[in-house]
mmCIF file of all heavy atoms in Angstrom:
data_model
loop_
_atom_site.group_PDB
_atom_site.id
_atom_site.type_symbol
_atom_site.label_atom_id
_atom_site.label_comp_id
_atom_site.label_asym_id
_atom_site.label_seq_id
_atom_site.Cartn_x
_atom_site.Cartn_y
_atom_site.Cartn_z
ATOM 1 N N HIS A 3 -151.479 -129.057 226.385
ATOM 2 C CA HIS A 3 -152.853 -128.961 226.138
ATOM 3 C C HIS A 3 -153.571 -128.535 227.398
ATOM 4 O O HIS A 3 -153.203 -128.902 228.429
ATOM 5 C CB HIS A 3 -153.412 -130.313 225.744
ATOM 6 C CG HIS A 3 -153.030 -130.741 224.330
ATOM 7 N ND1 HIS A 3 -153.611 -131.911 223.769
ATOM 8 C CD2 HIS A 3 -152.200 -130.185 223.477
ATOM 9 C CE1 HIS A 3 -153.015 -132.004 222.611
ATOM 10 N NE2 HIS A 3 -152.218 -131.017 222.364
ATOM 11 N N LYS A 38 -173.825 -127.902 213.436
ATOM 12 C CA LYS A 38 -174.069 -127.633 214.842
ATOM 13 C C LYS A 38 -173.489 -128.683 215.743
ATOM 14 O O LYS A 38 -173.234 -128.507 216.963
ATOM 15 C CB LYS A 38 -175.628 -127.521 215.130
ATOM 16 C CG LYS A 38 -176.326 -128.825 215.391
ATOM 17 C CD LYS A 38 -177.750 -128.575 215.587
ATOM 18 C CE LYS A 38 -178.507 -129.839 215.800
ATOM 19 N NZ LYS A 38 -178.507 -130.217 217.264
ATOM 20 N N ASN A 81 -183.435 -123.719 210.735
ATOM 21 C CA ASN A 81 -184.232 -123.092 211.746
ATOM 22 C C ASN A 81 -184.871 -121.738 211.146
ATOM 23 O O ASN A 81 -184.324 -121.266 210.194
ATOM 24 C CB ASN A 81 -183.497 -122.737 213.045
ATOM 25 C CG ASN A 81 -183.225 -123.977 213.888
ATOM 26 O OD1 ASN A 81 -184.167 -124.750 214.126
ATOM 27 N ND2 ASN A 81 -182.029 -124.196 214.260
ATOM 28 N N ALA A 87 -180.006 -109.148 214.645
ATOM 29 C CA ALA A 87 -178.647 -109.571 214.471
ATOM 30 C C ALA A 87 -178.573 -110.806 213.588
ATOM 31 O O ALA A 87 -177.755 -110.886 212.667
ATOM 32 C CB ALA A 87 -177.996 -109.850 215.783
ATOM 33 N N ASP A 106 -191.977 -120.660 209.158
ATOM 34 C CA ASP A 106 -193.254 -121.365 209.470
ATOM 35 C C ASP A 106 -194.331 -120.353 209.769
ATOM 36 O O ASP A 106 -195.387 -120.653 210.339
ATOM 37 C CB ASP A 106 -193.114 -122.386 210.590
ATOM 38 C CG ASP A 106 -193.020 -121.753 212.010
ATOM 39 O OD1 ASP A 106 -192.981 -120.531 212.091
ATOM 40 O OD2 ASP A 106 -192.879 -122.525 212.958
ATOM 41 N N HIS A 110 -192.066 -114.365 209.319
ATOM 42 C CA HIS A 110 -190.672 -114.727 208.912
ATOM 43 C C HIS A 110 -190.458 -114.179 207.495
ATOM 44 O O HIS A 110 -189.439 -113.660 207.163
ATOM 45 C CB HIS A 110 -190.412 -116.213 208.914
ATOM 46 C CG HIS A 110 -190.515 -116.841 210.338
ATOM 47 N ND1 HIS A 110 -191.249 -117.950 210.536
ATOM 48 C CD2 HIS A 110 -189.973 -116.436 211.531
ATOM 49 C CE1 HIS A 110 -191.052 -118.340 211.886
ATOM 50 N NE2 HIS A 110 -190.335 -117.374 212.431
ATOM 51 N N LEU A 136 -195.285 -125.931 210.664
ATOM 52 C CA LEU A 136 -196.773 -125.881 210.419
ATOM 53 C C LEU A 136 -197.373 -127.346 210.794
ATOM 54 O O LEU A 136 -196.719 -128.336 210.649
ATOM 55 C CB LEU A 136 -197.103 -125.612 208.944
ATOM 56 C CG LEU A 136 -196.532 -124.307 208.403
ATOM 57 C CD1 LEU A 136 -197.034 -124.263 206.884
ATOM 58 C CD2 LEU A 136 -197.030 -123.069 209.190
ATOM 59 N N VAL A 252 -157.924 -134.993 239.877
ATOM 60 C CA VAL A 252 -157.497 -133.990 240.841
ATOM 61 C C VAL A 252 -157.586 -134.413 242.263
ATOM 62 O O VAL A 252 -156.975 -133.800 243.131
ATOM 63 C CB VAL A 252 -158.286 -132.626 240.655
ATOM 64 C CG1 VAL A 252 -157.864 -132.020 239.336
ATOM 65 C CG2 VAL A 252 -159.816 -132.872 240.679
ATOM 66 N N SER A 253 -158.205 -135.576 242.529
ATOM 67 C CA SER A 253 -158.352 -135.991 243.931
ATOM 68 C C SER A 253 -158.719 -137.463 243.892
ATOM 69 O O SER A 253 -159.389 -137.884 243.038
ATOM 70 C CB SER A 253 -159.404 -135.121 244.673
ATOM 71 O OG SER A 253 -159.446 -135.458 246.021
ATOM 72 N N ARG A 255 -159.802 -140.621 246.988
ATOM 73 C CA ARG A 255 -159.936 -141.176 248.310
ATOM 74 C C ARG A 255 -160.463 -142.552 248.087
ATOM 75 O O ARG A 255 -161.691 -142.719 247.673
ATOM 76 C CB ARG A 255 -160.944 -140.397 249.234
ATOM 77 C CG ARG A 255 -160.400 -139.014 249.614
ATOM 78 C CD ARG A 255 -159.507 -139.036 250.814
ATOM 79 N NE ARG A 255 -158.507 -138.071 251.019
ATOM 80 C CZ ARG A 255 -157.785 -137.359 250.191
ATOM 81 N NH1 ARG A 255 -157.965 -137.435 248.912
ATOM 82 N NH2 ARG A 255 -156.805 -136.668 250.578
ATOM 83 N N LYS A 266 -168.864 -127.320 232.805
ATOM 84 C CA LYS A 266 -168.310 -126.348 231.869
ATOM 85 C C LYS A 266 -167.467 -127.027 230.820
ATOM 86 O O LYS A 266 -166.914 -126.357 229.874
ATOM 87 C CB LYS A 266 -167.489 -125.229 232.621
ATOM 88 C CG LYS A 266 -168.409 -124.444 233.551
ATOM 89 C CD LYS A 266 -167.705 -123.402 234.305
ATOM 90 C CE LYS A 266 -168.671 -122.649 235.198
ATOM 91 N NZ LYS A 266 -167.968 -121.683 236.109
ATOM 92 N N ALA A 288 -170.385 -131.538 238.623
ATOM 93 C CA ALA A 288 -170.540 -130.232 239.200
ATOM 94 C C ALA A 288 -169.944 -129.255 238.224
ATOM 95 O O ALA A 288 -169.470 -129.643 237.209
ATOM 96 C CB ALA A 288 -169.936 -130.096 240.588
ATOM 97 N N ASP A 289 -169.888 -127.943 238.597
ATOM 98 C CA ASP A 289 -169.391 -126.958 237.641
ATOM 99 C C ASP A 289 -168.027 -127.351 236.932
ATOM 100 O O ASP A 289 -167.872 -127.274 235.783
ATOM 101 C CB ASP A 289 -169.209 -125.642 238.234
ATOM 102 C CG ASP A 289 -170.564 -124.938 238.507
ATOM 103 O OD1 ASP A 289 -171.617 -125.596 238.262
ATOM 104 O OD2 ASP A 289 -170.587 -123.767 238.889
ATOM 105 N N HIS A 291 -166.109 -130.312 238.164
ATOM 106 C CA HIS A 291 -165.730 -131.538 238.615
ATOM 107 C C HIS A 291 -166.655 -132.691 238.124
ATOM 108 O O HIS A 291 -167.795 -132.471 238.154
ATOM 109 C CB HIS A 291 -165.662 -131.698 240.116
ATOM 110 C CG HIS A 291 -164.703 -130.731 240.790
ATOM 111 N ND1 HIS A 291 -165.139 -129.520 241.285
ATOM 112 C CD2 HIS A 291 -163.401 -130.749 241.007
ATOM 113 C CE1 HIS A 291 -164.071 -128.879 241.833
ATOM 114 N NE2 HIS A 291 -162.970 -129.589 241.669
ATOM 115 N N PRO A 304 -153.908 -138.465 241.349
ATOM 116 C CA PRO A 304 -153.907 -136.989 241.055
ATOM 117 C C PRO A 304 -152.751 -136.745 240.000
ATOM 118 O O PRO A 304 -151.556 -137.206 240.256
ATOM 119 C CB PRO A 304 -153.690 -136.301 242.308
ATOM 120 C CG PRO A 304 -154.302 -137.139 243.334
ATOM 121 C CD PRO A 304 -154.070 -138.566 242.870
ATOM 122 N N HIS A 314 -173.360 -136.057 225.029
ATOM 123 C CA HIS A 314 -174.153 -135.392 223.956
ATOM 124 C C HIS A 314 -173.128 -134.447 223.243
ATOM 125 O O HIS A 314 -172.700 -133.450 223.827
ATOM 126 C CB HIS A 314 -175.368 -134.539 224.612
ATOM 127 C CG HIS A 314 -176.334 -133.939 223.651
ATOM 128 N ND1 HIS A 314 -177.208 -133.043 224.009
ATOM 129 C CD2 HIS A 314 -176.331 -134.040 222.325
ATOM 130 C CE1 HIS A 314 -177.921 -132.659 222.952
ATOM 131 N NE2 HIS A 314 -177.382 -133.264 221.829
ATOM 132 N N ASP A 316 -173.145 -132.127 220.618
ATOM 133 C CA ASP A 316 -173.321 -130.776 220.207
ATOM 134 C C ASP A 316 -173.072 -129.787 221.311
ATOM 135 O O ASP A 316 -172.210 -128.863 221.181
ATOM 136 C CB ASP A 316 -174.719 -130.488 219.610
ATOM 137 C CG ASP A 316 -175.194 -131.572 218.713
ATOM 138 O OD1 ASP A 316 -174.955 -132.771 218.872
ATOM 139 O OD2 ASP A 316 -175.770 -131.219 217.675
ATOM 140 N N HIS B 3 -177.687 -106.382 219.156
ATOM 141 C CA HIS B 3 -177.193 -107.442 220.124
ATOM 142 C C HIS B 3 -177.515 -108.690 219.495
ATOM 143 O O HIS B 3 -178.487 -108.883 218.850
ATOM 144 C CB HIS B 3 -178.010 -107.375 221.433
ATOM 145 C CG HIS B 3 -177.629 -106.195 222.274
ATOM 146 N ND1 HIS B 3 -178.124 -105.986 223.589
ATOM 147 C CD2 HIS B 3 -176.840 -105.203 222.069
ATOM 148 C CE1 HIS B 3 -177.620 -104.974 224.082
ATOM 149 N NE2 HIS B 3 -176.872 -104.362 223.182
ATOM 150 N N LYS B 38 -165.969 -117.657 239.379
ATOM 151 C CA LYS B 38 -166.518 -118.638 238.473
ATOM 152 C C LYS B 38 -167.960 -118.363 238.199
ATOM 153 O O LYS B 38 -168.519 -118.906 237.201
ATOM 154 C CB LYS B 38 -166.422 -119.995 239.177
ATOM 155 C CG LYS B 38 -167.394 -120.467 240.139
ATOM 156 C CD LYS B 38 -167.050 -121.878 240.720
ATOM 157 C CE LYS B 38 -168.203 -122.328 241.675
ATOM 158 N NZ LYS B 38 -169.338 -122.825 240.958
ATOM 159 N N ASN B 81 -159.612 -124.882 244.285
ATOM 160 C CA ASN B 81 -159.588 -126.286 243.778
ATOM 161 C C ASN B 81 -158.094 -126.756 243.820
ATOM 162 O O ASN B 81 -157.139 -125.916 243.778
ATOM 163 C CB ASN B 81 -160.130 -126.361 242.445
ATOM 164 C CG ASN B 81 -161.673 -126.356 242.455
ATOM 165 O OD1 ASN B 81 -162.242 -127.084 243.223
ATOM 166 N ND2 ASN B 81 -162.269 -125.585 241.599
ATOM 167 N N ALA B 87 -150.667 -127.889 232.015
ATOM 168 C CA ALA B 87 -151.074 -126.496 231.590
ATOM 169 C C ALA B 87 -151.585 -125.678 232.792
ATOM 170 O O ALA B 87 -151.377 -124.448 232.765
ATOM 171 C CB ALA B 87 -152.189 -126.634 230.547
ATOM 172 N N ASP B 106 -155.061 -131.647 248.577
ATOM 173 C CA ASP B 106 -155.532 -132.691 249.428
ATOM 174 C C ASP B 106 -154.806 -133.999 249.248
ATOM 175 O O ASP B 106 -155.241 -135.042 249.664
ATOM 176 C CB ASP B 106 -157.089 -132.939 249.232
ATOM 177 C CG ASP B 106 -157.404 -133.681 247.992
ATOM 178 O OD1 ASP B 106 -156.480 -134.110 247.236
ATOM 179 O OD2 ASP B 106 -158.620 -133.992 247.763
ATOM 180 N N ARG B 109 -149.241 -135.637 246.366
ATOM 181 C CA ARG B 109 -148.933 -135.504 244.897
ATOM 182 C C ARG B 109 -149.080 -134.035 244.479
ATOM 183 O O ARG B 109 -148.307 -133.519 243.621
ATOM 184 C CB ARG B 109 -149.802 -136.348 244.110
ATOM 185 C CG ARG B 109 -149.474 -136.434 242.601
ATOM 186 C CD ARG B 109 -148.345 -137.315 242.383
ATOM 187 N NE ARG B 109 -147.897 -137.155 240.972
ATOM 188 C CZ ARG B 109 -146.695 -136.763 240.490
ATOM 189 N NH1 ARG B 109 -145.805 -136.431 241.392
ATOM 190 N NH2 ARG B 109 -146.431 -136.632 239.200
ATOM 191 N N HIS B 110 -150.104 -133.374 245.046
ATOM 192 C CA HIS B 110 -150.281 -131.946 244.710
ATOM 193 C C HIS B 110 -149.134 -131.132 245.206
ATOM 194 O O HIS B 110 -148.598 -130.191 244.470
ATOM 195 C CB HIS B 110 -151.528 -131.366 245.327
ATOM 196 C CG HIS B 110 -152.812 -132.006 244.884
ATOM 197 N ND1 HIS B 110 -153.778 -132.514 245.820
ATOM 198 C CD2 HIS B 110 -153.310 -132.267 243.666
ATOM 199 C CE1 HIS B 110 -154.788 -132.962 245.119
ATOM 200 N NE2 HIS B 110 -154.469 -132.919 243.824
ATOM 201 N N ARG B 133 -166.650 -134.492 247.754
ATOM 202 C CA ARG B 133 -165.912 -134.297 246.494
ATOM 203 C C ARG B 133 -164.444 -134.283 246.803
ATOM 204 O O ARG B 133 -163.929 -135.391 247.212
ATOM 205 C CB ARG B 133 -166.400 -133.018 245.873
ATOM 206 C CG ARG B 133 -166.080 -132.935 244.410
ATOM 207 C CD ARG B 133 -166.842 -131.833 243.728
ATOM 208 N NE ARG B 133 -166.393 -130.498 244.191
ATOM 209 C CZ ARG B 133 -167.060 -129.432 244.014
ATOM 210 N NH1 ARG B 133 -168.203 -129.407 243.252
ATOM 211 N NH2 ARG B 133 -166.694 -128.147 244.347
ATOM 212 N N LEU B 136 -159.578 -133.853 252.373
ATOM 213 C CA LEU B 136 -159.264 -134.957 253.354
ATOM 214 C C LEU B 136 -160.507 -135.237 254.237
ATOM 215 O O LEU B 136 -161.326 -134.371 254.496
ATOM 216 C CB LEU B 136 -158.155 -134.413 254.302
ATOM 217 C CG LEU B 136 -156.880 -134.035 253.679
ATOM 218 C CD1 LEU B 136 -155.907 -133.684 254.736
ATOM 219 C CD2 LEU B 136 -156.289 -135.069 252.721
ATOM 220 N N VAL B 252 -189.224 -117.476 217.918
ATOM 221 C CA VAL B 252 -189.037 -117.943 216.539
ATOM 222 C C VAL B 252 -190.248 -118.598 215.947
ATOM 223 O O VAL B 252 -190.311 -118.778 214.734
ATOM 224 C CB VAL B 252 -187.751 -118.730 216.371
ATOM 225 C CG1 VAL B 252 -186.501 -117.910 216.548
ATOM 226 C CG2 VAL B 252 -187.787 -119.965 217.295
ATOM 227 N N SER B 253 -191.222 -119.063 216.740
ATOM 228 C CA SER B 253 -192.311 -119.803 216.278
ATOM 229 C C SER B 253 -193.472 -119.723 217.279
ATOM 230 O O SER B 253 -193.215 -119.723 218.477
ATOM 231 C CB SER B 253 -191.860 -121.235 215.904
ATOM 232 O OG SER B 253 -192.941 -121.950 215.346
ATOM 233 N N ARG B 255 -197.587 -121.525 217.720
ATOM 234 C CA ARG B 255 -198.781 -122.188 217.314
ATOM 235 C C ARG B 255 -199.719 -122.148 218.514
ATOM 236 O O ARG B 255 -199.471 -122.866 219.440
ATOM 237 C CB ARG B 255 -198.529 -123.650 216.870
ATOM 238 C CG ARG B 255 -197.645 -123.805 215.695
ATOM 239 C CD ARG B 255 -198.562 -123.906 214.373
ATOM 240 N NE ARG B 255 -198.145 -123.320 213.173
ATOM 241 C CZ ARG B 255 -197.137 -122.400 212.944
ATOM 242 N NH1 ARG B 255 -196.391 -121.882 213.813
ATOM 243 N NH2 ARG B 255 -196.942 -122.029 211.618
ATOM 244 N N LYS B 266 -177.375 -124.284 224.419
ATOM 245 C CA LYS B 266 -176.176 -123.633 224.095
ATOM 246 C C LYS B 266 -176.283 -122.208 224.689
ATOM 247 O O LYS B 266 -175.235 -121.469 224.482
ATOM 248 C CB LYS B 266 -175.957 -123.677 222.653
ATOM 249 C CG LYS B 266 -175.562 -125.096 222.109
ATOM 250 C CD LYS B 266 -175.271 -125.149 220.673
ATOM 251 C CE LYS B 266 -175.062 -126.635 220.279
ATOM 252 N NZ LYS B 266 -174.816 -126.759 218.834
ATOM 253 N N ASP B 289 -181.087 -128.134 221.782
ATOM 254 C CA ASP B 289 -179.774 -127.439 221.544
ATOM 255 C C ASP B 289 -179.991 -125.938 221.377
ATOM 256 O O ASP B 289 -179.220 -125.164 222.016
ATOM 257 C CB ASP B 289 -179.103 -127.931 220.278
ATOM 258 C CG ASP B 289 -178.508 -129.384 220.601
ATOM 259 O OD1 ASP B 289 -178.765 -129.938 221.764
ATOM 260 O OD2 ASP B 289 -177.804 -129.923 219.718
ATOM 261 N N HIS B 291 -183.256 -124.283 221.133
ATOM 262 C CA HIS B 291 -184.649 -123.883 221.358
ATOM 263 C C HIS B 291 -185.143 -124.125 222.809
ATOM 264 O O HIS B 291 -184.823 -125.152 223.337
ATOM 265 C CB HIS B 291 -185.569 -124.722 220.401
ATOM 266 C CG HIS B 291 -185.332 -124.500 218.951
ATOM 267 N ND1 HIS B 291 -184.588 -125.434 218.282
ATOM 268 C CD2 HIS B 291 -185.659 -123.519 218.073
ATOM 269 C CE1 HIS B 291 -184.490 -125.009 216.936
ATOM 270 N NE2 HIS B 291 -185.161 -123.832 216.877
ATOM 271 N N HIS B 314 -179.312 -121.618 236.522
ATOM 272 C CA HIS B 314 -177.978 -121.852 237.192
ATOM 273 C C HIS B 314 -176.974 -120.874 236.553
ATOM 274 O O HIS B 314 -176.581 -121.013 235.365
ATOM 275 C CB HIS B 314 -177.600 -123.274 237.070
ATOM 276 C CG HIS B 314 -176.302 -123.642 237.848
ATOM 277 N ND1 HIS B 314 -175.668 -124.862 237.679
ATOM 278 C CD2 HIS B 314 -175.669 -122.929 238.793
ATOM 279 C CE1 HIS B 314 -174.622 -124.923 238.486
ATOM 280 N NE2 HIS B 314 -174.547 -123.835 239.128
ATOM 281 N N ASP B 316 -173.634 -119.994 236.888
ATOM 282 C CA ASP B 316 -172.242 -120.206 236.521
ATOM 283 C C ASP B 316 -172.117 -120.812 235.172
ATOM 284 O O ASP B 316 -171.485 -120.302 234.259
ATOM 285 C CB ASP B 316 -171.482 -121.074 237.540
ATOM 286 C CG ASP B 316 -171.708 -120.629 238.928
ATOM 287 O OD1 ASP B 316 -172.914 -120.338 239.336
ATOM 288 O OD2 ASP B 316 -170.769 -120.719 239.735
#
Side-chain angles (χ1 to χ4, degrees):
Chain A
H3 287 186
K38 84 184 182 82
N81 282 312
D106 75 359
H110 297 133
L136 303 183
V252 288
S253 186
R255 292 272 148 336
K266 292 180 183 176
D289 285 9
H291 299 98
H314 188 188
D316 316 41
Chain B
H3 287 187
K38 84 182 184 81
N81 283 312
D106 74 0
R109 187 78 190 119
H110 297 132
R133 200 165 66 193
L136 303 184
V252 289
S253 185
R255 294 269 144 344
K266 293 180 183 177
D289 285 8
H291 299 98
H314 189 188
D316 315 42

